[in-house]
Amino acid sequence: MNLEVPNKYKGLLKSAYTASEGILRPISRKYDVGEHTYPRELDLLAAGLNGMNDASGGAVGGATSKKEEVKKGEVKNGGNMANCLNIQAICYGDVGLLLSFPRQGLGNSAIGAVANPEQLGRFGKLWASMAITEPNVGSDSAAITTSARKDGDYYILNGEKIFVTAGERSDVVVVWATLDKGLGRAAIKSFVVERSNPGMKLERVEKKLGIRASDTAAFVLSDCRVHKSNLLGNPEIDVKKGFAGVMETFDNTRPFVASMALGCTQAALERTRELLKDKLSLTNYKTPINKVKAAEAEFYRMEAEYEAARLLVLRAAWLADNRIPNSMEASICKAKAGRIGTAITLKCVELCSSLGYSYQELLEKWGRDSKILDIFEGTQQIQQLIIGRRLLGKSSSELK
Amino acid sequence: MNLEIPSKYNSTLEMAKTVSTNVLRPISRKYDVGEHEYPKELDELAQALEMFRGASTGKAKTAPNPGEVRNGSNMQFVLFTQTLCYGDTGLVLTFPGRGLGNAAIDAVASPEQLEKFGKLWASMAITEPNSGSDSASISTTAKKDGDDYILNGEKIFVTSGERCNAVVVWATLDKGVGRAAIKSFVVEKGTPGMEVIRVEKKLGIRASDTAAIVFTNCRVPAANLLGDSEINVKKGFGGVMETFDNTRPIVGAMALGCAQAALEKTKELLKNYTKANDFKTPFYNLQSAEAEMIKMEAEYEAARLLVLRAAWMADNKIPNSMEASICKAKAGRIGTLITLKCVDLCSSLGYSYQELLEKWSRDAKILDIFEGTQQIQQLIIARRLLNKTSQELK
């Protein structure tokens, strides 16, 4: 395993951090306060980003890189590692804004992963969001009730979807629906639905704890007609293959979400170090930890947690780059980074006292932004469940 | 709720403290190193032991009058247990005459059985090589044969199993019927067919013997069956498990005693190195070792109040199954954390045999395991909170 960050990425990362500090940070509070205002500054950035994606062989938001074969004995640091580092760098600027980057939605990942060439041609350049969660279905995504009924060359979709990130701003929504609720996971298919489709109505955008720069939409689908060519992947219900294909998308995206948590955490740690530099000596790595000030000791512990999470993320990315199955490691890094992200950003609020708690600094905002990263793309509990299953060699029906 | 400690307990607790400091502490390391040696010094503790016996059996049998608040024997007993474990947890577990089996006998024995077994030192045999926390799955069998039962099976982790006079053995009359068929039998030492096959070498509580016992066609009189001999599927396991509602706060109190010992010793050892804490300096401006101490004290106090609450509820005949689990889970957890952190804070003194700190950290671990592990306590709490049966939430 080689977790060294390759030289070839250093230039890219430098420009990502520059964009973070020069463009995102200055508008961070503006779109936190002005929730639901479209951050038009991002349109300028999007062009630059596309260039970066081409260079790194992957996309910042996770439109999956091409599957490249790894030669025997060769060790690669490829698109996944580059993505993780990039995402962290951007989220060091602002997590909410990253989630709102045009054409970098989770739906784009799904399209990148399973679309056929014709679909890739039609949808590849669009901004695609992803609609899975329903009012009564959260983590157990196999239990969704939105239905898709075949009618000639069309499918007719009915149901309600919530928590669709970038749902309002995207061009298309990738909607999960079941062809036959009785058949379970295997009958769940994803459909690309244009935002202009009259059968899909935007119900509302949520007011939220954090990531306020990103819009979170609720949709109602009533007899929404979608052409069969918009179904992603295999239209047949293959009970044998089941859910695994769908869930693979998440093996890829969990390290990205973990990287978001790392970026947010890094921002809080660095700002705290700066704010407290006259009160504490935070570079004293020689004094035994029990003899330094309590606040310093907290800081060192947080740095250690951050480093541990960072290495776990790099490992999961490295495994993916080298085509080694990483489902367990992806969950481990997501669980750890999500957990320490909330713990560290909140502890920084506390350490910086009035500056930490007020709107004067962004620390309280990071304390809010980090929470969703421990929830979406699989909650802490779901990650632990996945880890448990992999460790014990149990299927999802054996260990729920 | 009144968690004030009544002044009538003062003399008892003072006596317990004296025993702890003057009798238990001085022999603490001796029986830690000399595992499996019988601590004969305990035989001389007759008075304290009578107290120990009296306190645990003198449970309030009647409900308090409306408006009356009672601080009774449960509270006294948890305080007493904590004070003695402040001396040495392993030695407390091996006090002659008082085993977990006695709690079971007291709880369900008939007057004749109480007469016959009440004075015995009774240990309790539940765990088997293939059955731990899920005690409903035990496979030791009891087959009726005339006026006797014939026991077959293997029991492990029997605290005081070697030193006791009798063992209360859990066995099933019919494995197919489940919990309701599990009965407990008093088997006196010397009964043919019952053999102690080994005593364990352990991480902690080395002063206490932990036996493995094999039953081979062990014939026990039917009169030794505790409680109802019929298989009552409706009533099931509840009765058996009630014993544990009573004993969980006591184990919580053991963890408190052990944690208290470590905290006090640490304060003493570090008094020249850390400023005497005035509770005025902002927390983050303290030296990190002091901040750790204060956090540990807060955890200890929280656990202590939870134990007192569970005991208070029992004294006032308020169902306390959930609160008993909460206090056991908290005290067991912070007991291991605090004792280990004290080892860490006291560095070479903490880690070496010079002090008892390393021993307390070893002793503390079992208190988060036996009488229901951390996980089992959380399961019980969840069941009570969500109002689910053991069938619905496993």
Side-chain angles (χ1 to χ4, degrees), chain A residues 280 288-298 301 347 350-351, chain B residues 273 283-292 295 341 344-346:
Chain A
L280 304 173
I289 190 154
N290 285 330
K291 287 193 173 166
V292 301
K293 259 192 197 174
E296 288 167 41
E298 280 294 356
R301 274 194 288 261
K347 183 56 87 177
E350 185 183 326
L351 286 177
Chain B
Y273 295 91
F283 186 77
Y284 283 124
N285 286 339
L286 293 171
Q287 191 181 317
S288 100
E290 291 171 80
E292 283 292 353
K295 272 194 282 210
K341 181 53 88 179
D344 173 344
L345 288 178
C346 298

Side-chain angles (χ1 to χ4, degrees), chain B residues 98-335:
Chain B
R98 224 31 239 176
L100 184 55
N102 292 91
I105 292 172
D106 292 346
V108 292
S110 64
E112 302 80 51
Q113 289 174 327
L114 215 52
E115 177 70 21
K116 195 169 168 208
F117 307 126
K119 298 282 176 199
L120 296 178
W121 178 1
S123 62
M124 189 95 163
I126 303 172
T127 306
E128 298 179 357
N130 291 313
S131 174
S133 293
D134 181 12
S135 38
S137 71
I138 56 166
S139 58
T140 295
T141 55
K143 192 159 60 70
K144 190 80 191 279
D145 183 40
D147 283 342
D148 298 324
Y149 286 95
I150 299 175
L151 303 186
N152 276 292
E154 185 180 347
K155 293 289 181 182
I156 58 171
F157 296 159
V158 183
T159 299
S160 302
E162 192 192 25
R163 296 171 187 167
C164 65
N165 317 117
V167 185
V168 175
V169 181
W170 285 25
T172 175
L173 297 182
D174 183 347
K175 185 119 174 80
V177 178
R179 289 148 197 266
I182 294 176
K183 300 291 168 188
S184 48
F185 300 86
V186 181
V187 187
E188 293 187 57
K189 269 299 179 62
T191 306
M194 176 167 77
E195 192 199 351
V196 173
I197 55 166
R198 67 171 182 278
V199 280
E200 309 288 351
K201 288 180 76 76
K202 307 190 298 298
L203 171 75
I205 55 160
R206 291 185 183 158
S208 160
D209 68 297
T210 303
I213 302 177
V214 168
F215 297 87
T216 319
N217 294 323
C218 177
R219 190 171 278 275
V220 180
N224 288 23
L225 186 152
L226 294 172
D228 182 5
S229 62
E230 299 304 314
I231 300 175
N232 183 348
V233 182
K234 286 236 176 69
K235 178 139 194 275
F237 219 44
V240 184
M241 297 312 272
E242 269 162 30
T243 315
F244 292 113
D245 289 351
N246 281 328
T247 51
R248 288 197 297 272
I250 297 171
V251 176
M254 292 181 178
L256 290 179
C258 201
Q260 186 195 356
L263 277 175
E264 286 190 8
K265 192 65 189 171
T266 301
K267 251 195 230 172
E268 193 187 317
L269 290 173
L270 298 184
K271 69 171 182 293
N272 295 326
Y273 295 91
T274 50
K275 281 169 288 173
N277 178 50
D278 51 6
F279 291 100
K280 279 183 201 153
T281 314
F283 186 77
Y284 283 124
N285 286 339
L286 293 171
Q287 191 181 317
S288 100
E290 291 171 80
E292 283 292 353
M293 279 300 295
I294 290 176
K295 272 194 282 210
M296 290 194 289
E297 280 184 356
E299 291 287 11
Y300 165 79
E301 276 303 321
R304 186 172 160 274
L305 291 171
L306 289 170
V307 169
L308 289 180
R309 177 179 69 169
W312 183 90
M313 293 175 78
D315 280 334
N316 290 277
K317 296 283 162 228
I318 303 165
N320 74 341
S321 177
M322 181 172 80
E323 289 79 6
S325 281
I326 289 176
C327 82
K328 163 73 165 76
K330 176 81 179 177
R333 194 168 58 234
I334 62 113

Side-chain angles (χ1 to χ4, degrees), chain A residues 66-86:
Chain A
K66 304 269 178 315
K67 303 237 171 186
E68 298 161 63
E69 283 305 313
V70 178
K71 287 188 208 104
K72 230 180 157 192
E74 190 193 358
V75 168
K76 281 190 63 164
N77 291 106
N80 283 287
M81 185 183 273
N83 273 347
C84 281
L85 293 166
N86 249 326

